[in-house]
């Protein structure tokens, strides 16, 4: 190996058939994360989530590409047997950005969080990414701050989400997004959504009402040399949004359980999400699936708008 090898940031990306063909044809592509499939959602809802997000992207004129680390290869367009393995969760670890080099060296499998998916987008030159909710500042311990935030600060990508998960400290998360220089846009809302809930009482600094408007902000960010993401938040679909008090009670119970069990680190987010699902009688799961689909649809519109002349 020459000493310069790998220092250029030109990580080899392995493209799936569908995503590779879309890239070659210059078609719009929407990146999707795999941690929500392999850790965030239970089986078999994870399969439904993949199907619905893929359908929403295709229906809106773009091509979906699930990102993952597959046997050490940074992959854009997880498909076939590999996708099956991730949906069944056979030995698939949750990987944040910092874990990518270790998995690459060991040829391991890893499901990418928002942070790791952003790293994939940068390596592959993808402009748009849809997810459910970003990670953020945890309520306890407050020093547990998701790497999603720092990575958003240095990835020039449009990320469509439903805010940050209700299990987090949302005011602190908003402040940290500002610290990291992340451009934040409310899509058809003036409020920062609470993932399961439409409102949080927290205001977003700017609002946009069209996909073309989002595309214009990414172009402007790049023209200004801004290094970070354009984070687009939209409320969960109204039919599935949960009542804030119901969610708050469920989160309190989930936090108490995690505290008793002494859960820390990467395991915390999946455990809290599962506990909230139990405490809302599965309604949080229905909301999660619906918002993932809605976010994928909007992301596809943005990917299409980015290819149109400004
Ligand atoms: N949103 C969901 N379900 C999830 C996640 C987000 O609806 O499973 C995942 C994302 O992959 C996100 C990660 O990047 O949780 C954040 O984990 P942590 O708090 O450990 O950084
Ligand atoms: Mn964490």
């Amino acid at each position: 190996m020459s000493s310069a090898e790998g220092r250029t940031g030109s990580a080899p990306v392995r493209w799936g058939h569908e995503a590779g063909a879309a890239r070659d044809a210059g078609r719009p592509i929407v990146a999707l994360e795999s941690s929500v499939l392999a850790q965030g959602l239970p089986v078999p809802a994870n399969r439904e989530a993949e199907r619905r997000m893929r359908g929403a992207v295709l229906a809106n004129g773009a091509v979906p590409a699930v990102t993952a680390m597959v046997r050490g290869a940074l992959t854009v367009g997880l498909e076939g047997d590999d996708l099956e393995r991730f949906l069944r969760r056979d030995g698939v670890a949750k990987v944040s950005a910092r874990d990518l080099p270790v998995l690459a060296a060991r040829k391991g499998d890893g499901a990418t969080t928002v942070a790791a998916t952003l790293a994939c987008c940068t390596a592959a030159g993808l402009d748009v990414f849809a997810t459910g909710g970003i990670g953020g500042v945890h309520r306890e311990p407050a020093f547990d701050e998701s790497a999603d935030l720092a990575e958003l600060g240095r990835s020039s990508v449009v990320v469509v989400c439903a805010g940050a998960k209700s299990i987090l400290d949302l005011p602190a998360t908003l402040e940290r997004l500002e610290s990291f220089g992340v451009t934040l846009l409310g899509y058809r809302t003036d409020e920062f959504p609470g993932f399961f809930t439409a409102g949080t009482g927290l205001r977003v600094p700017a609002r946009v009402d069209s996909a073309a408007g989002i595309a214009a902000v990414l172009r402007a960010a790049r023209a200004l040399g801004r290094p970070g993401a354009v984070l687009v938040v939209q409320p969960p679909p109204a039919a599935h949004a949960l009542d804030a008090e119901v969610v708050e009670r469920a989160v309190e119970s989930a936090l108490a359980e995690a505290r008793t069990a002494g859960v820390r680190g990467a395991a915390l987010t999946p455990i809290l999400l599962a506990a909230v699902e139990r405490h809302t009688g599965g309604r949080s799961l229905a909301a999660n699936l619906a918002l993932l689909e809605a976010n994928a649809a909007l992301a596809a519109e943005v990917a299409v708008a980015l290819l149109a002349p400004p």
Side-chain angles (χ1 to χ4, degrees):
M1 181 201 280
S2 83
S3 62
E5 191 175 320
R7 295 190 69 121
T8 56
S10 53
V13 172
R14 176 174 162 269
W15 291 78
H17 292 103
E18 190 184 27
R23 175 206 55 190
D24 292 345
R27 295 195 55 203
I29 299 176
V30 172
L32 304 170
E33 61 153 306
S34 47
S35 180
V36 67
L37 302 177
Q39 283 92 29
L41 293 168
V43 174
N46 61 344
R47 190 174 293 275
E48 182 183 342
E50 196 274 337
R51 185 179 55 74
R52 285 171 65 177
M53 283 193 284
R54 134 176 302 277
V57 171
L58 290 170
N60 287 279
V63 175
V66 175
T67 70
M69 186 65 102
V70 180
R71 298 193 179 97
L74 206 53
T75 300
V76 171
L78 185 68
E79 56 194 12
D81 291 346
D82 290 329
L83 175 61
E84 279 303 315
R85 210 146 36 79
F86 275 64
L87 290 173
R88 286 196 313 267
R89 313 185 158 175
D90 293 345
V92 179
K94 170 178 169 179
V95 303
S96 189
R98 61 130 188 223
D99 306 314
L100 292 171
V102 176
L103 278 182
R106 294 182 182 167
K107 312 232 175 299
D109 278 345
T112 50
T113 63
V114 169
T117 300
L118 287 168
C120 286
C121 288
T122 300
L126 297 180
D127 295 325
V128 186
F129 162 29
T131 185
I134 58 164
V137 183
H138 278 270
R139 299 188 190 191
E140 54 185 84
F143 60 74
D144 182 350
E145 175 175 301
S146 177
D148 293 357
L149 300 180
E151 215 59 33
L152 283 165
R154 54 175 167 247
S155 308
S156 178
V157 176
V158 170
V159 179
V160 180
C161 69
K165 287 158 286 180
S166 326
I167 55 175
L168 300 168
D169 180 337
L170 297 182
T173 299
L174 264 182
E175 291 299 334
R176 295 297 285 153
L177 283 169
E178 182 186 359
S179 311
F180 284 111
V182 178
T183 295
L184 178 58
L185 298 175
Y187 181 72
R188 297 184 178 169
T189 183
D190 297 300
E191 241 182 284
F192 192 62
F195 189 70
F196 298 124
T197 61
T200 55
L202 301 164
R203 300 199 47 98
V204 288
R207 170 190 175 125
V208 69
D209 292 301
S210 70
I214 296 167
V217 173
L218 181 71
R219 285 193 195 102
R222 289 182 175 174
L224 288 163
R226 299 290 312 147
V230 174
L231 182 66
V232 179
V233 294
Q234 72 169 342
H240 293 279
L242 304 186
D243 186 70
E245 273 173 38
V246 171
V247 173
E248 195 47 41
R249 274 200 301 276
V251 170
E252 297 285 348
S253 308
L255 285 170
E257 285 175 25
R259 202 180 303 134
T260 307
V263 180
R264 284 279 183 277
L268 187 58
T269 291
I271 286 217
L272 287 175
L273 288 172
V276 169
E277 186 195 323
R278 270 188 280 111
H279 290 291
T280 58
R283 281 189 299 149
S284 69
L285 180 59
N288 207 335
L289 293 173
L291 67 86
L292 282 165
E293 183 174 14
N295 294 346
L298 176 57
E301 283 184 53
V302 175
V304 170
L306 277 168
L307 292 185

